[in-house]
Amino acid sequence: MKTLTFPDFVINRDNEKCIQCEVCVRQCAFDAHTLDKETNKVETDIKKCVGCLRCATMCPTGALCVSEYSQKIRKNCNWNEKQLKELYKQAETGGVLLTGMGTDKDYKIIWDHILLDAAQVTNPSIDPLREPMELRTYLGSKPSKIDFRFDISDLKLKNLQKGILKTKLPPQLKIETPILFSAMSYGAISLNVCRALAQAAEECGIYYNTGEGGLHKDLYKYSKNTIVQVASGRFGVNPDYFEAAAAVEIKIGQGAKPGIGGHLPGEKVTEEISQTRMIPSGTDALSPAPHHDIYSIEDLSQLIYSLKEATEYKKPISVKVAAVHNIAAIASGIVRAGADIVAIDGIRGGTGAAPTRIRDNVGIPIELAIASVDSRLREEGIRNRASIIAAGGFRNSGDVVKAITLGADAVYIGTAALVAMGCHLCQKCYTGKCNWGIATQDPYLVKRLNPDIAARRLINLIKAWSHEIKEIMGGMGINAIESLRGNRLRLRGFDLHDNELKILDIKPAGESL
Amino acid sequence: MIINSKNMTHRMLNEKIRSGVRNGDRKIILKNINGQRYIASGLKSEVNIKINGTAGNDLGSFMSGPKITVYGNAQDCIANTMNAGKIVIHGSVGDVLGYGMRGGKVFVRDDAGYRVGIHMKSYKEMIPIIVIGGSVGDFFAEYMAGGIIILLGLDDTKEIVGDFIGTGMHGGTVYIRGNINKNRLGREVDSVEFDDNDKKIVNEYLTEFCRDFNLNQKNLVNQKFTKFKALNSRPYGTIYAY
Ligand code: SF4
Ligand code: SF4
């Protein structure tokens, strides 16, 4: 069938600059550049271009320029080019549309309508370069009160530090900065990317998350900085997997595809992935939409306690859900079910593959979810029982600070981490042909990403963000992240509706205390 | 070691079992079990555990190695994501038996509930086996991806199996004694020829089953079995537009 679709991009090759070196031919896994054997010239097929900019970045002479394809068709706000192309594709294949990464729809980004406070005159700001700033965070359930015991013979003021904690604290994850790497499974991303994330997590004193694809044997050595996932497919889940982790996360859902499962097609289940997932190579790795042992909060509690028993109550158990309409009630149920951490992924969360319609239409923004969950847990007097990790499209340290000020304990970053390693957000992760060597298992593409260099880039990113967070806190006159958490008086809404302000529980900009 | 489990919470009970295992106990007897959940959850050991009473939900979940014998019934989600070992139940079990089970064996003398062997899978030499002496409910072998389930239906007065056998199944093998009406099957499965090799497989596990429950295997020799396989190992292979 002749395709009616038209290209997404145009590639301009400046023939004066091009030296016919064929770098672009080798770099493009989508075959947008090819060598014409007859004329011995590099040719371009723009229909194949996915806009990942690999060729333009690698071209030694800067001869390539990729830009959006625009054939001035009759302007139509309802039926734009994207809609037409999707319709053509479905008419030609009869298939469900797939995509990768987080939604690109222009939903309002509430972060950009929340403004932070700073200290002026009445309270001093703090210079983070000269004064200690505490970003360290403990994730896990906190008791509602703690008891101390003092050595009575020693009870002078200066010896108060000899107080001994009598309360037995539930297990905690210590993070040096309130940022963790989101769940990304080996299979969705390459082993080199997993290595980079693990190395960076170790160096930064934070955690990375294996996702639901099991744990490769090369990564066992990072166990102190590893969160492992248990999802409905239960891939690679066994006692060794738990032993090799600092915490276990039950994955109920993710922001990019709430309510549906996932599957790694057989072509991507290579020998090594098969070992890690513990399924035969070449078979589809199906993660059903629900966990077959969870149909209620009581059932969730059963899985939480099953995992607590299996890890001898030594590791925090997290439950990850997508931010959906009743997220506050759901989170309350999760906390009451015994979770130590609730991870909430908003509508802008990324993915290796998701049906386009689900990714673009299901869920709610993380900003509103954090606020409503934090408020609800406080109202119910159970906020201390679990930490909240927010996820779903955190772009910079400003977003992170705002999330924590709304009430999150820490954030998960996925997309930002991939971008730091080279991702250009072409959204073709589901094809397995990622030219940046990230979302692929093709050995030729995988080796494009050097795990040590990628780890260095991640470490730089975390360092830079942490420094910025300290700077912002210093400006607010706050020297510990604990004093920022849930401190919504330090936020103002700008250009937000009343109902949004109400849910966020913040005042509009211009309104004083 | 003998543990009197009367009034013990699952946490205390598992702590005792684990400390026994750490101390090198190879035989643990649990008395007065009355629905305690998570027994031997995540336990990695060759220990032999005998349970007197009714074992609660998630018995042997995630475990790798122990041999558990229950003298009584067991509740739901038994052998959840079990990795290796064996569970022998001298009675019946509830729903969702062997969810995501990857290795080891589960033998049930009497009946099992709905969704037996759901999403059971296999990997290389790890092939999970479930044998059920009695009958089972609906959604038998749902979503099954690997392993072997044998259903005997020894009590001829009962319906051997419910509806929707093998819904979403994409791997593994199911053997059911006797003939099964096709309208019982899910869309993704069909019966295939039961050959000599199948006979060998079934007989091997039958021998072990009969030995464990002290049954006379003679009555079962040369019985007719129907074998079921998934029609397609990749049920979702064609629904997407790339
Ligand atoms: S990489 Fe640049 S210089 Fe080399 S062939 Fe392609 S366009 Fe020409
Ligand atoms: S990971 Fe690769 S395929 Fe996915 S959006 Fe980024 S560059 Fe594209």
Side-chain angles (χ1 to χ4, degrees), chain B residues 65-93:
Chain B
K67 176 165 190 269
I68 299 177
T69 312
V70 182
Y71 296 100
N73 298 326
Q75 296 181 323
D76 296 339
C77 285
I78 307 307
N80 186 351
T81 323
M82 173 171 152
N83 202 52
K86 185 171 175 185
I87 300 179
V88 177
I89 295 160
H90 291 255
S92 294
V93 297

Side-chain angles (χ1 to χ4, degrees), chain A residues 233 240 267 284 295 309, chain B residues 10 18 44 99 115 121 234:
Chain A
D240 295 338
E267 299 87 51
D284 282 359
Y295 284 84
E309 287 290 346
Chain B
H10 57 77
R18 264 189 234 106
K44 211 174 113 182
Y99 168 25
R115 320 185 90 181
K121 45 182 73 112
R234 305 195 45 196

Side-chain angles (χ1 to χ4, degrees), chain B residues 128-148:
Chain B
I129 313 286
I130 294 181
V131 186
I132 291 165
S135 55
V136 298
D138 293 345
F139 296 105
F140 181 56
E142 187 182 6
Y143 245 126
M144 187 174 175
I148 298 170

Side-chain angles (χ1 to χ4, degrees), chain B residues 54-70:
Chain B
T54 302
N57 295 353
D58 268 336
L59 165 72
S61 59
F62 310 107
M63 81 174 190
S64 194
K67 176 165 190 269
I68 299 177
T69 312
V70 182

